[in-house]
Amino acid sequence: MFKILLEEFWGDLKAQKTRALLTMFAVCWGTIAVVLMLAFGEGLRRAVVDGMLGAGEKMFIVYGGNTTLAFQGLPKGRWIPLHEEDIPLLENIRGVDMVSPSFGRWGTKLEAGKNRTTTFMEGVYPDFEYMRNTYPKLGGRFLNERDEEQRRRVAFLGDSIAARLYPGTSAVGQRLVIDGLPFTVVGVMQSKMQTSMNNGPDAERVIIPASVFRAVYGPTNVDHLLVRPRSVQEAAYVKSQIYETLGRRYHFDPKDDRALGIWDFIEQEKMSRRIGLGIEIFLGVVGGFTLLVAGIGVANIMYVVVRERTREIGTKRAVGAHRHHIMGQFVFEAMAIVLAGGLIGLIFSTSVVLLVDSLPNTNEAMQFLANPKLPWPIALGTVGVLALTGLVAGIFPARRAASVDPVEALRYE
């Protein structure tokens, strides 16, 4: 049966080469549109999320704010400063996993031999590495507990500033003079995409132990506190307890959400994923409509084929062919055209995705545009849509062919 269907399809293909090729091209183009739009949409979604996670993951950045409510006889409008002494209180909150202060200083002078620059410097605890995704390159390390406890003059550099200070050589182990004091570079950050930031990108900053920063510069307040919950499920509770705990310490109403500024990376990640998914769905719908138009074209062509082969259909019915044989023939032809065109389109579009994805993306803007991904669900979904398109495009003309009256068909001119 399959051999007969294949022979009939091949014969019709040879008899109407131009029509068949144009139909296949329409399906091929629709497939290319669907796959490329979904692949580039997936790449854009990942880039949006990765860019946000470059600034921090599953944490809160807590800033001091101004009260907007009077509390316990105290007026509104009070400034709430944050201190390193707040950290033990936050660590005692159930559900808190990590806490680190951030002492910041703009205009810090760096000298490495003849190379000089100024940048933003930050004094932090070792847990900062995991909360802010500042992982070291091979051969180096981030700050550790001994650095903090012993006030070691060690520094961790962003990858961009390290390249400027130590061009053509490794910065790890090198001497670095910070505001006139000698430090040793212990690590350089891995390159990362970062679209959200405070005080500039991490690639352009120098990080030292909080204890050293405090001893050298003597700040009275921290710039902000970083807090990571143990799990996303505990995030809302931890966030409310931050207001409760610091509200008791600084005497402000815990319901006064302006007394503290909290940059919620957990909610921002969810929002980024929703935005990326929305973009991907939109691009997929646009590509899907292109494929739908191609499917309508296939159906129209099959209606023409049914009309042209009316006498042939009548002859087959007259010699005993059943309706399901006639339907099978036209459904098979429609699906063969769709799947053949779709396979060509899928191979071409996959090649384009792999080629573009392999190109080096040194420009940050290109990391959003030239970063297509083709996960297996997209590929399988495209194949499924193609099969459904072929089935729908073939079944209605096939039903019309199968319903042809043999006597009337034999009279058809």
Side-chain angles (χ1 to χ4, degrees):
M1 180 66 179
F2 179 77
K3 183 179 178 181
I4 295 173
L5 290 175
L6 194 59
E7 289 175 349
E8 289 183 341
F9 170 70
W10 184 250
D12 186 58
L13 191 65
K14 290 192 294 184
Q16 299 290 342
K17 292 180 181 178
T18 303
R19 183 174 64 192
L21 289 176
L22 288 175
T23 307
M24 285 185 184
F25 177 78
V27 176
C28 177
W29 182 253
T31 304
I32 291 172
V34 170
V35 174
L36 290 184
M37 285 188 174
L38 286 174
F40 277 89
E42 174 68 12
L44 179 59
R45 183 185 68 81
R46 293 188 184 189
V48 168
V49 174
D50 290 345
M52 191 281 300
L53 294 180
E57 185 173 2
K58 295 180 176 60
M59 68 165 189
F60 306 124
I61 294 184
V62 185
Y63 300 90
N66 290 88
T67 60
T68 57
L69 300 173
F71 185 71
Q72 294 180 346
L74 297 172
K76 63 181 180 180
R78 290 181 298 121
W79 168 248
I80 304 298
L82 299 178
H83 303 84
E84 196 172 1
E85 292 75 21
D86 299 333
I87 291 177
L89 299 175
L90 298 179
E91 289 176 333
N92 287 331
I93 295 176
R94 178 174 57 84
V96 169
D97 184 32
M98 300 177 185
V99 184
S100 172
S102 173
F103 297 100
R105 176 181 171 83
W106 274 106
T108 303
K109 298 178 181 178
L110 306 181
E111 299 177 33
K114 296 181 180 180
N115 299 318
R116 299 182 180 183
T117 189
T118 59
T119 191
F120 179 78
M121 183 170 67
E122 204 164 3
V124 302
Y125 286 177
D127 284 342
F128 183 93
E129 173 186 4
Y130 308 106
M131 288 188 278
R132 288 288 303 274
N133 289 332
T134 51
Y135 297 113
K137 293 182 179 180
L138 290 176
R141 64 173 178 84
F142 194 73
L143 312 178
N144 59 34
E145 294 293 343
R146 287 191 176 183
D147 296 332
E148 177 65 25
E149 293 169 1
Q150 299 176 15
R151 297 184 182 177
R152 292 174 175 173
R153 290 184 185 174
V154 294
F156 182 85
L157 297 178
D159 53 310
S160 295
I161 201 167
R164 292 206 308 275
L165 290 171
Y166 304 96
T169 185
S170 173
V172 177
Q174 300 276 12
R175 184 174 182 266
L176 176 66
V177 178
I178 302 178
D179 286 340
L181 297 175
F183 282 71
T184 300
V185 178
V186 295
V188 175
M189 187 185 73
Q190 295 177 12
S191 179
K192 65 178 180 179
M193 182 187 291
Q194 183 180 354
T195 54
S196 298
M197 59 193 73
N198 63 327
N199 299 309
D202 294 345
E204 291 288 343
R205 70 182 58 190
V206 57
I207 300 173
I208 65 174
S211 59
V212 178
F213 191 105
R214 188 173 58 250
V216 174
Y217 300 100
T220 56
N221 306 330
V222 299
D223 279 23
H224 53 262
L225 298 169
L226 289 77
V227 182
R228 171 179 279 186
R230 276 197 298 263
S231 67
V232 174
Q233 290 72 27
E234 296 177 285
Y237 172 79
V238 169
K239 190 174 182 179
S240 66
Q241 287 303 301
I242 290 174
Y243 279 97
E244 291 282 350
T245 301
L246 296 181
R248 287 193 298 269
R249 174 169 167 79
Y250 294 108
H251 306 289
F252 65 81
D253 191 332
K255 297 179 181 179
D256 188 355
D257 57 4
R258 302 297 295 275
L260 299 174
I262 296 185
W263 186 357
D264 190 338
F265 277 72
I266 297 172
E267 284 301 317
Q268 186 171 343
E269 180 181 350
K270 292 178 182 178
M271 185 180 300
S272 297
R273 293 187 185 279
R274 286 195 292 265
I275 291 172
L277 181 61
I279 294 172
E280 191 173 2
I281 291 173
F282 172 75
L283 294 176
V285 169
V286 172
F289 275 115
T290 305
L291 188 58
L292 177 62
V293 171
I296 293 172
V298 173
N300 287 333
I301 292 297
M302 294 307 298
Y303 274 117
V304 173
V305 170
V306 169
R307 183 178 299 174
E308 291 178 349
R309 296 168 64 180
T310 301
R311 288 180 63 84
E312 175 191 334
I313 295 169
T315 302
K316 290 182 178 180
R317 291 295 306 278
V319 297
H322 295 287
R323 291 186 61 183
H324 66 270
H325 292 149
I326 304 299
M327 286 191 65
Q329 175 186 346
F330 285 94
V331 169
F332 176 82
E333 290 189 15
M335 291 195 68
I337 290 173
V338 169
L339 293 178
L343 181 61
I344 296 171
L346 189 59
I347 292 173
F348 177 82
S349 54
T350 301
S351 301
V352 171
V353 168
L354 295 176
L355 175 62
V356 174
D357 192 38
S358 66
L359 297 176
N361 296 325
T362 55
N363 186 291
E364 189 169 286
M366 291 301 293
Q367 291 179 349
F368 284 92
L369 302 176
N371 185 37
K373 303 294 179 184
L374 186 60
W376 63 265
I378 291 179
L380 290 180
T382 303
V383 173
V385 169
L386 285 171
L388 182 61
T389 301
L391 181 63
V392 173
I395 197 166
F396 293 106
R399 289 180 62 183
R400 179 176 178 178
S403 63
V404 171
D405 182 83
V407 176
E408 293 297 326
L410 290 171
R411 294 175 181 173
Y412 185 81
E413 295 295 337

